Each structure stands twice: as structure tokens, then as C-alpha cells.
Amino acid sequence: MDSHDYVTEYAEKTKSGEILAPKSVISIFSMLADEIQDADQGGRWVFDPAKGNRPKEFARRFLKHTKGKWAGQAVCFELWQAAISQAVFGFYDRDGNRRFHELALLVPRKCGKSTIAAVWVLYGLLADNEQSAEIYCLASTYKQAFDVIFTQCFDFVRLSPSLNKRLTKRKYDLYDSRTRSKLEPLAAMRPDALDGKNAHMAVLDEAHAITNLDLWSTMRQSVAARSNPIIIVVSSAGRGTESLYMQMRTLGLKVANGEVPLEHYLPVIYEASAENWESEEEWFRANPSLSSVKSLQDMREKFARAQHVPTDAVSFKAKDLGIQALESSLTWLEYADLQKATTETWSIEDFRGFVGVCGVDLSLVGDLTSACVLLHKGDTWYCHSHLWLPAQTLEEHTTKDKIPYPAWIEQGYVSLSYGGGGSYVDHADVQRWFESIVHELGISISFVAYDPWGSRDFVRRMEEESGFGRDGSVMVPVRQGSQTLSAPFQQLTAEWKSGLVQVDNPCCLWTCSNVTVEQEKRNQTWLPAKARGRMRTDGFSALLCAYVVASEHLTELKRWE
């Protein structure tokens, strides 16, 4: 029986730099190594290295590779895989209950994540001492769930005389009659995918494709009746800011940094630095199996192409380096730059008594409408934003945009509007929001910037009914051409990348992630555009309108700080 402590070995080698790894991975394993020391001294957790190594020994004894140059050879873990597996299966409380019930393994492609996930799945099915175990492989579609981890498991079984004799391939699952346990693939995007399930283990593949952010809580509910359950997410990075991958990554980095104490959640996140992605040293940090399993030469060839083909650069960063991409291949901002707008904790209440500039992007029938107030303090712009959605289109927008509008509505970032019985946004809702900025928040509005196209009635009502234009504020049309927008757009870009723009609304931030740049080389002008036809940029449009006017009157705004 193997009782070697791989967790501490990996912690020491990553901390010393002998093995390159991201800071978050070093932090997680350093904490685990410290807890092993505490366990030896009677701490809260018990660490049993031999028990933690059982999945590794199960793989070595029963499983053989099914493809490529290792076909027919026993499945042997690399150090990083052995350390993660031992941490998951080796930590227990004093009553013998498994410590970690949730694992997020976020790692670039071709590093063996599907292989190790299949090992854990078969171990959970056959060797985890659970009667009537229900094990589920999930992915965004049934085909993905069946083709990757489930098929890998079936191929392992097919090449193992012992396992092939014990397990039966039925129509929808693999079945163990000895313990009445089963392994079944499921489509995670189905709302009822886990209804009525009593899972012992659930493994979700490619979480970047999952936009149902409630899925994780649903998975947790499905294992609630088991004594030693575990939920595992294995995924490479992808595109977009609103996915289960991003939810797990954001939470995982906070756990690694010590910001959030979640003792039953183990995040292991391999990713390169977005600023130094061209460095081969960063490639090794992000790819724990680079050179041993994943080809360094192949990485170099992809990198050479990525330097000349923007779409290849996006794919290379996301899939080979773990750097999440935005929706468009030619986005206005990289993901790391976009997130600079969320680095400060602030409230619109902090600006009571300030003077701000508002912006609005009114919608056609069925579309989003956005409004914002832009304020300045120190060297930084603060954007307080709100968006409206026609009530009748909520389900359609949620499905087509793959965005959690219901959650944002509940959190107060988006409101439903019932113009025309819910078929369009009633601009009176926007009008009332601007009035609340003045009367409830105590912020004076010096200018309201708007796109003049289709805004005549709204402007009239703002002036005649709400008093804008008579109380010292001015309604300012901002025409949507390069002559008006190019210079402010470039200036806003520079300030955003410097961390001088803060946005308090995730829906607005999502619309900013959908912006691309159209450049006119002859005149060196910039214009914002949509990444794709269905993508929403309404929040950004309101922000840019406000910025065009606010940047022109910055001296006046500073007097009120």
C-alpha cells in the first residue's frame, strides 16, 4: 500500500520553484501541507495518505490507457495528479467523514483532466465503499457527457478483465450488480437533469459551456443525502464572463487568497498570467503536464500562429493557457482588463452631494434599455448603472443570450418593464430612475447624454415632466459617429486599462465584454461595435454617451468632489 505524502511533496516543490505552478495552486497546497502538520498534532482534520492514494493505486492496478502512444500501459498519476487525488480522498474529520465535498480542477486541454476524472468516477463506482452509489457524468449536452468521461470509463472497463467481468453496460449506464451502483451520463443544461437523483458523485465536464449558474447548487442538493459525497468540476477555459467556470474560478481564487474560508471546497486552478502569456515559463505554470504528456513543440507551433491570427490567439490563450476569453475574438478589452472595473468596493451612497453626468441608451421594441450616472472622484470614474428588459421577453432573452437575467433582476441590477403589456421598455421607467438619482440619492445631474435617434419623445418628457433642462441640467445629444465617439472611446479605453473606471452592475459589465473595435486606418478613428449580432452592448453605449460629455466637463465635475 502506497502511503507516501504526495500533497506535501508537491507543496514543497511548487513553493521552491522546482515545479512551476500558479500562485493560487502554490497557496492551496501550502495550506494543505500546513493542515497535514496540524493533523499530526491533533488538529481538526485527519490526513490518511494511504487512503488518499487508493484511487491512484486503483488506476495503476486495474486501468490501462486506451489511446495513443501509451495505449495498453497502466494508468499512472503524475505528481500533480497524485497530490490532488490524495487531498480529495485523504482528508477526513475526526468522525471519519470526507472533508472535501467539492473539487474544481480548472486546467488547460491535453493535460489529462478527463483521464483523472474517469479514474475518480470508476473508483467512486467500485471502490469507495458506497452501496447503491449513483455516479453521474454531466456536460452541457448529452453527447458531450457520453463522448468524453463516460466513454473513457467504458473504454477503461473494456480493457480490464476484472472490471469488464464485474460491470454491465446497459442502455443508459454502466451497472454494478454487486453493490447495485450505476454510472450514467446526463445533459447538464436540462433543468430537470438532477431532479430526484441521490448522487454519491457527480462530475461536470467543461463548465465554461454551462451558463445555468444555479446548476452548482442543484448538484449540491443531489448529493445531500449521502455521507461522503463529492462533486467534481473539470474544465478548460472558454469564452464569456457569465459561466459556471467563471463562478468556480472567481470563488476558487478567493479561497486560495484566504478571502473566503470554505473548508469543504478544493479549488485547483492552473492558468497563465494574461500579461505574460508569451513566456514559456508561464506555459509551464498553466500546464502541469507540459513536456511529459502535452507537447511543448505543439505549443510553440500554436503560439507562432497565434501571433499572426487573432482568432488563433484567443483559442491558444483560453484552451492552452487557461486565460478566459470574452465572447468576441476581437474584443475591445481582454478579460483581465475588463475585470479591472471591479477592483474597488463602493456604493452609490458614497456620492451623495456629488454632481454627475447621466447617459442613456433607449431600445427598440423587445430590446434592453440602459441608463447610468457617471461620477468622478480622485482620478477614477464610477459608473452606477441600471438596465430594463421587456417582461414578455425575459425567457427568450435568458435562453438566447445565455445570461442569468432572473438572478440579476432579483439582485436589483435589471428591472422588468411592462410597456405595451410587457412587449417593450416603457421609457417612463427610465425617467423615474433618473428622478430617483436626484431625489433619493441626493446626486445632482449636470448633463443627460443620449443618442438623438428615436429619443425625441423621451427628451420632451424629461424636460417637461421631470424638469431636466430647467433646473440647470442639460439634455445633450451624442451622435453615434466616429467624429464624436472616436477620441473619447480611445481615452475611455486607456483609463479603463489603467483601472480608472469602476462599474457596479454585472449586466452592464457583461455588455461591455461584447464590444469590439472597428478601426479606420486612414483616419486613425475608432468606433465601438457588437461582437456578434445577438450580443448586447446597451450598457456600454449608455456609459460611453455619458463619458463623451463628462470628459469634456471634467474640470466642472472636480469642483464638486
Side-chain angles (χ1 to χ4, degrees), residues 29-58:
F29 277 92
S30 293
M31 287 190 286
L32 292 175
D34 289 343
E35 288 171 354
I36 290 173
Q37 295 296 320
D38 291 341
D40 293 340
Q41 299 169 17
R44 179 179 179 186
W45 304 109
V46 174
F47 178 67
D48 186 335
K51 186 180 288 188
N53 288 335
R54 285 178 183 172
K56 171 180 171 292
E57 292 304 295
F58 171 83

Side-chain angles (χ1 to χ4, degrees), residues 169-477:
K169 173 67 172 71
R170 302 191 300 189
K171 185 174 182 180
Y172 296 111
D173 60 25
L174 280 173
Y175 182 69
D176 178 17
S177 59
R178 186 181 304 178
T179 62
R180 302 180 307 282
S181 300
K182 68 173 182 177
L183 165 62
E184 182 180 350
L186 294 173
M189 294 300 280
R190 283 182 51 189
D192 61 345
L194 289 167
D195 284 357
K197 307 299 185 187
N198 183 17
H200 170 60
M201 180 184 291
V203 179
L204 175 65
D205 187 30
E206 299 302 1
H208 65 82
I210 305 296
T211 55
N212 175 12
L213 301 187
D214 293 328
L215 178 62
W216 188 252
S217 61
T218 304
M219 292 173 71
R220 294 178 68 181
Q221 292 168 14
S222 75
V223 302
R226 298 283 182 170
S227 57
N228 277 308
I230 185 165
I231 303 169
I232 298 171
V233 168
V234 290
S235 184
S236 57
R239 295 189 181 188
T241 60
E242 299 300 325
S243 66
L244 186 59
Y245 172 94
M246 289 309 303
Q247 180 175 288
M248 305 309 296
R249 176 186 178 273
T250 300
L251 180 61
L253 292 178
K254 289 180 178 179
V255 171
N257 292 336
E259 299 174 38
V260 177
L262 291 180
E263 57 191 13
H264 299 297
Y265 174 51
L266 179 61
V268 186
I269 304 170
Y270 289 97
E271 60 184 14
S273 162
E275 289 76 21
N276 300 315
W277 69 278
E278 297 174 331
S279 164
E280 287 196 2
E281 184 174 296
E282 286 299 313
W283 301 358
F284 278 93
R285 291 188 198 282
N287 292 272
S289 292
L290 188 56
S291 288
S292 58
V293 175
K294 187 170 183 174
S295 168
L296 177 58
Q297 182 58 36
D298 182 62
M299 286 279 286
R300 287 170 174 164
E301 291 173 2
K302 288 178 180 176
F303 172 67
R305 183 175 174 84
Q307 290 179 300
H308 303 286
V309 183
T311 52
D312 283 10
V314 171
S315 176
F316 179 72
K317 290 179 184 179
K319 294 302 180 184
D320 290 292
L321 297 177
I323 301 172
Q324 184 75 358
L326 300 182
E327 283 288 351
S328 169
S329 60
L330 297 171
T331 46
W332 165 47
L333 296 171
E334 295 282 356
Y335 178 76
D337 287 325
L338 186 78
Q339 290 302 108
K340 290 176 181 177
T342 64
T343 55
E344 290 189 31
T345 301
W346 62 281
S347 168
I348 189 62
E349 294 284 350
D350 301 337
F351 292 88
R352 190 173 293 274
F354 275 60
V355 173
V357 174
C358 288
V360 62
D361 182 67
L362 301 174
S363 63
L364 299 172
V365 175
D367 283 340
L368 281 169
T369 284
S370 177
C372 72
V373 57
L374 191 60
L375 301 126
H376 194 272
K377 183 167 69 172
D379 295 319
T380 304
W381 296 99
Y382 295 86
C383 175
H384 175 60
S385 174
H386 197 81
L387 294 95
W388 291 263
L389 190 65
Q392 286 185 6
T393 68
L394 174 60
E395 184 176 349
E396 177 187 353
H397 276 76
T398 301
T399 302
K400 287 186 176 180
D401 296 351
K402 300 180 180 179
I403 287 299
Y405 289 116
W408 285 341
I409 290 169
E410 184 177 343
Q411 294 161 6
Y413 297 117
V414 178
S415 294
L416 294 178
S417 183
Y418 293 86
S423 62
Y424 62 84
V425 172
D426 185 348
H427 294 166
D429 293 339
V430 185
Q431 184 180 345
R432 284 189 289 271
W433 187 82
F434 282 131
E435 291 172 355
S436 73
I437 294 296
V438 176
H439 301 302
E440 296 176 20
L441 295 175
I443 295 172
S444 298
I445 297 176
S446 57
F447 301 95
V448 178
Y450 64 93
D451 178 356
W453 191 86
S455 300
R456 181 178 299 176
D457 184 60
F458 174 74
V459 172
R460 179 189 59 77
R461 292 174 60 177
M462 285 283 284
E463 292 177 338
E464 295 179 1
E465 299 174 12
S466 300
F468 290 96
R470 296 198 308 268
D471 59 359
S473 59
V474 179
M475 301 292 294
V476 182

